[in-house]
Structures are given as C-alpha cells and as structure tokens.
Amino acid sequence: MTTTRFAPSPTGYIHVGNLRTALMNYLIARKAGGTFILRIDDTDPERSKEEYVDAIKQDLEWLGLHWDRVERQSERLDRYAEAADKLREKGRFYEAFETPTELDLKRKKQLNMGKPPVYDRAALNLNDAEKDALRAERGNGVWRFRLDHERIEWTDGILGDISIDAASVSDPVLIRGDGQVLYTIASVVDDTEMGVTDVVRGSDHVTNTATQIQIIQALGGTCPRFAHHSLLTGPQGEALSKRLGTLALRDLREQGVQPLALLSLMARLGSSDPVELRTEMAELIDGFDIGRFGAAPTKFDVQDLFPLTAKHLQSLSLADVADAVADAGVPAELAEPFWAMARENITTLADLKGWWELCRNGAEPLIADEDREFITEAVALLPEGPFDGATWGQWTSAVKDATGRKGKSLFMPLRKALTGMERGPEMATLLPLLQVIRARG
C-alpha cells in the first residue's frame, strides 16, 4: 500500500513552503488509495509547543487535507534508542567530542587547502581512556553515523538519477551531546517502521536523503521512493526563505484566501501543467503527477491567490456563504439578491461589508461639473421606490427621452451619481438593494 507522510516540527506555523510538501504527499497517497500520516516531529522539547501542534491540525483541516493517523516522535524515543544501539553493534555509530569552535577551525583549514569541509573522523582514532577523559572534561559527545565512502545513487521522482559521493559528505550527527535525537535518524526509523513508501520534500534535503539511504540500509530497512521538489522564490526570483514567516497559512486565511484557490495554485505551481481553479479536491487528486514537476526554482507570488479566490467565490451559492453574508449585516430577506449582485464584484468575502454599507447608507455621489444639471434632471425622474429589477431600464429610458443622452454619456454619470464608482455590478441588480440615494440631495 502507498503510504506517505507530512512531518512538520511544531516550532511555528505552517507556511506555503510546508504546504507544498504536505499537499504533494497527500495527493500521492489519495490518488493511490493509500495512507497519509501526519507525523509531528517534536523531539526538540525546548522549541516544540503544543499550540503549534493544534495550529498545524487546524490549518490542514481548513484546507481539507485530512490525515489517516497521527504519530508523534516524542512518543517513540525508545525506538530511536534501539536503532542507535543496533548501529553501534554494527560499528556504524561513534562518539565525537569536538567543540563547535574546533570544528569551525577544521573546516576553515580544509577550505584553505582547497578541500571539501568534511569531518575528518578524528574521533575514530580515540581509545577508551581518551574518550573517558574527554567526557569528564566536556560531557557526553555527539554520535555520528559512519558513512561507507561509496557513491549513493537513486532515481528521484522529480530530479531524475542522483549520484552523490559519500566521501564528500560529513558523517552526520544523529544524537546530540544532551541526548536529543535528531531528525536524520528519527525520520529513518519512522519511515521504515511505518511502511512509508513515498517521500516528497524540498530539494534542500537531497544530501540528507543520501545519508539516510545508507542509514536505512544499515538498519535493514527498505528505502522509499524519494522526490525532491524545487524551492519557492519570490515573484522576481528573490529568496523567499526570509518571507516565509509572513506567508503562514493562517495569515493567508485571515486575508480571505479560499482553500481551493490556494490548493489549485500549489498543486500545479512548478509543473508543466497550467494553474487552473478546481472546484473540488477530487479534481486535484486525479490530475496530480509528481513526474510533471521540474527542478528549477519556482516563483511564488501571493497576489496570484486573489484572482483564483475571486473566481472560486463566483461559483458559490448563497448557502455556501450564508454566514459571511449575515456577518456583513445583510438582512435575511435581502441575502439572495445581495449575493447575486455582489458575487461577481468581490475578491474576498471581506469585501461584502463594503458592498452592504453602500446599499444601506448610499454612496457619496461622484458628479463631474458638466454633468450636474443632467444628474439633477435625471434624479428628479427616479421613482421613490421600492425598486425592482425593471426599475433601472425604465428609469434610464425615461432619462434618455428627457435629455437626449444615450450610451456611455447616459449610463456612466448615473452609475457614478448613485454608487460613487465608475464600474461595478449591473445596475439593474444593484439599484433594488440601495436603501439610500444620496444623489437626491
């Protein structure tokens, strides 16, 4: 069975970069009729917070990315300890005691010599007495996985054939000196024991994948299929990493972005398929193909979400937005005609309040000096109301007959006088909703 996972760390809110990973893994699982796991990577007790766990779940539920089960790494520490013992028994795990300053000096020396800054494995030459002395002086060391210096190869679902020389990579630290288990081994143990078959993540994890393949093999596991999606940039190709904090999903939700607008963009962004608004999740699932994504950095512009949101809102019925219409203050008896008027003229649901304020309180007339006499004559011909769908046509016909104006010179001044705007809804649908006509004076 196809099994995928989304593995966020509860140290902050999900942003669009996280969403890309979550969505791809979700779509792969759902298209195959498989399992989608939400795995909370909370092995860092100082930075992990329960409020972020709750926020992650809320954001995924808002988007409709429903998981089949939840796993928490903090509840699996014994499994990581067993894996560490197994690596020690195989001679693939060793303790190292260098300080950050010492490691930095080693890297600088290697770079000055034109060599790659790879850990030199000096710790492997320590005898037991030397290790005891270092522990007494510095405390417990870190535990590194000893890589086999050979080429690590796999066929990536997006990047194609990958080959990395393990000798060009430092032996990864899997357990810190304070005992904290790091992502590299925890993820391997989880993926292996949970039967994860497909892993999609950012291209910044390619080197991690290479080392994890050897760890999986050392533990006797089966490697999943890996795919590494491109990283997002800003609309001009600028680094997006510093802005991700302002692109949290809850911030986009607060700005009025609709879930299907966001999903429709993120499910196609960076692929050879055009971005098209989808009306339901099933369409995204059926049309998803990881092989259609490219390796080049992918431009993301948050402004692209708003035309998609507007288009999505246009497709909704009053029943879909009844709460938002009511929250805008629209009386129940006017809700249906109000939504019919407003739906084509809003970008987000927050815009409904502005339209109802116009209907309830009227608009400041926008009248050019050369049109003042015309507007005075025209408004005198406007009936007292109530207005209906035929009022606009009847009124403009009467004004045309009385003034001789027609076309744009007739309709535009009247629209501006009643709404204070040059463009907007069909006046035949808006006029019956206007509670106040300020142009009457």
Side-chain angles (χ1 to χ4, degrees):
M1 174 188 287
T2 297
T3 300
T4 67
R5 45 75 167 177
F6 174 49
S9 297
T11 56
Y13 298 118
I14 298 178
H15 51 67
V16 291
N18 304 136
L19 171 59
R20 197 155 190 241
T21 299
L23 181 58
M24 288 182 171
N25 283 288
Y26 176 86
L27 294 175
I28 287 173
R30 291 293 174 259
K31 188 169 185 177
T35 299
F36 176 64
I37 300 171
L38 173 59
R39 193 182 76 205
I40 305 298
D41 285 10
D42 57 349
T43 57
D44 186 340
E46 293 184 4
R47 298 179 62 216
S48 297
K49 298 185 183 301
E50 202 60 30
E51 65 185 271
Y52 291 130
V53 176
D54 295 336
I56 288 167
K57 292 178 179 178
Q58 290 165 6
D59 287 342
L60 293 179
E61 288 172 342
W62 170 64
L63 290 168
L65 303 184
H66 303 295
W67 53 89
D68 296 299
R69 73 176 197 261
V70 178
E71 300 283 354
R72 297 187 67 138
Q73 288 191 332
S74 59
E75 298 173 355
R76 294 176 47 79
L77 298 180
D78 58 332
R79 304 301 304 149
Y80 311 142
E82 289 184 23
D85 288 341
K86 189 172 183 180
L87 292 176
R88 290 187 188 96
E89 293 171 4
K90 289 177 171 287
R92 301 296 295 275
F93 219 22
Y94 64 95
E95 195 173 8
F97 299 89
E98 287 89 354
T99 66
T101 299
E102 290 170 342
L103 290 173
D104 187 52
L105 289 173
K106 287 185 178 186
R107 283 191 291 267
K108 289 178 178 177
K109 183 177 180 180
Q110 289 170 318
L111 288 170
N112 288 335
M113 296 172 63
K115 296 180 179 180
V118 176
Y119 178 61
D120 61 7
R121 293 182 165 177
L124 287 174
N125 298 320
L126 297 173
N127 58 41
D128 290 342
E130 290 170 325
K131 292 178 184 177
D132 290 340
L134 286 168
R135 279 193 207 96
E137 176 189 344
R138 303 180 178 186
N140 292 329
V142 301
W143 284 87
R144 290 180 178 269
F145 176 74
R146 183 176 59 76
L147 292 165
D148 283 338
H149 284 175
E150 59 189 25
R151 299 206 73 83
I152 304 170
E153 299 178 335
W154 74 94
T155 299
D156 192 273
I158 294 175
L159 303 179
D161 292 336
I162 301 292
S163 179
I164 293 178
D165 183 1
S168 68
V169 181
S170 292
D171 290 343
V173 175
L174 304 188
I175 299 178
R176 294 196 328 190
D178 61 5
Q180 182 183 324
V181 176
L182 298 185
Y183 165 85
T184 310
I185 187 171
S187 182
V188 162
V189 174
D190 291 342
D191 289 344
T192 300
E193 296 188 356
M194 295 175 190
V196 172
T197 59
D198 295 79
V199 173
V200 182
R201 53 191 178 188
S203 57
D204 52 336
H205 282 283
V206 169
T207 300
N208 285 341
T209 295
T211 59
Q212 286 181 322
I213 286 173
Q214 281 207 6
I215 299 171
I216 292 169
Q217 293 169 341
L219 292 173
T222 300
C223 291
R225 292 179 288 268
F226 289 102
H228 295 81
H229 62 70
S230 60
L231 299 182
L232 296 179
T233 73
Q236 305 304 317
E238 71 274 22
L240 196 65
S241 56
K242 293 182 180 179
R243 293 183 51 221
L244 286 176
T246 65
L247 295 173
L249 300 194
R250 57 191 43 237
D251 293 332
L252 297 179
R253 182 164 74 246
E254 186 67 23
Q255 294 174 51
V257 171
Q258 289 289 303
L260 274 171
L262 181 55
L263 293 174
S264 294
L265 178 64
M266 300 309 292
R268 296 292 182 268
L269 197 64
S271 77
S272 57
D273 295 318
V275 174
E276 297 176 342
L277 179 68
R278 302 301 179 181
T279 58
E280 56 184 20
M281 182 68 76
E283 294 181 59
L284 293 174
I285 295 170
D286 291 343
F288 184 75
D289 182 354
I290 194 70
R292 297 182 69 81
F293 286 80
T298 301
K299 294 180 180 180
F300 170 80
D301 188 345
V302 68
Q303 295 305 315
D304 291 339
L305 292 169
F306 293 100
L308 290 170
T309 289
K311 187 175 181 181
H312 172 69
L313 293 177
Q314 291 171 13
S315 71
L316 301 182
S317 68
L318 174 62
D320 297 319
V321 298
D323 289 344
V325 171
D327 289 344
V330 183
E333 65 272 16
L334 294 179
E336 190 74 49
F338 175 81
W339 177 242
M341 175 277 296
R343 68 196 299 171
E344 302 286 339
N345 296 277
I346 59 173
T347 299
T348 71
L349 290 174
D351 296 336
L352 292 175
K353 287 188 177 181
W355 282 110
W356 177 243
E357 286 176 5
L358 182 148
C359 293
R360 182 185 60 202
N361 302 324
E364 187 66 34
L366 183 62
I367 304 173
D369 289 341
E370 64 269 22
D371 291 326
R372 290 193 181 281
E373 185 176 336
F374 165 71
I375 293 299
T376 299
E377 185 176 357
V379 170
L381 295 171
L382 181 64
E384 288 298 320
F387 307 130
D388 59 29
T391 302
W392 173 255
Q394 294 167 351
W395 178 47
T396 53
S397 293
V399 173
K400 176 182 177 182
D401 292 341
T403 66
R405 287 206 185 194
K406 58 184 179 180
K408 187 176 181 180
S409 66
L410 168 67
F411 298 115
M412 182 60 73
L414 295 180
R415 172 185 287 278
K416 291 162 68 175
L418 267 58
T419 70
M421 298 180 290
E422 293 187 356
R423 57 183 59 87
E426 290 290 333
M427 289 302 296
T429 63
L430 178 57
L431 185 57
L433 292 164
L434 296 180
Q435 315 291 295
V436 175
I437 305 292
R438 292 196 196 179
R440 289 186 188 276

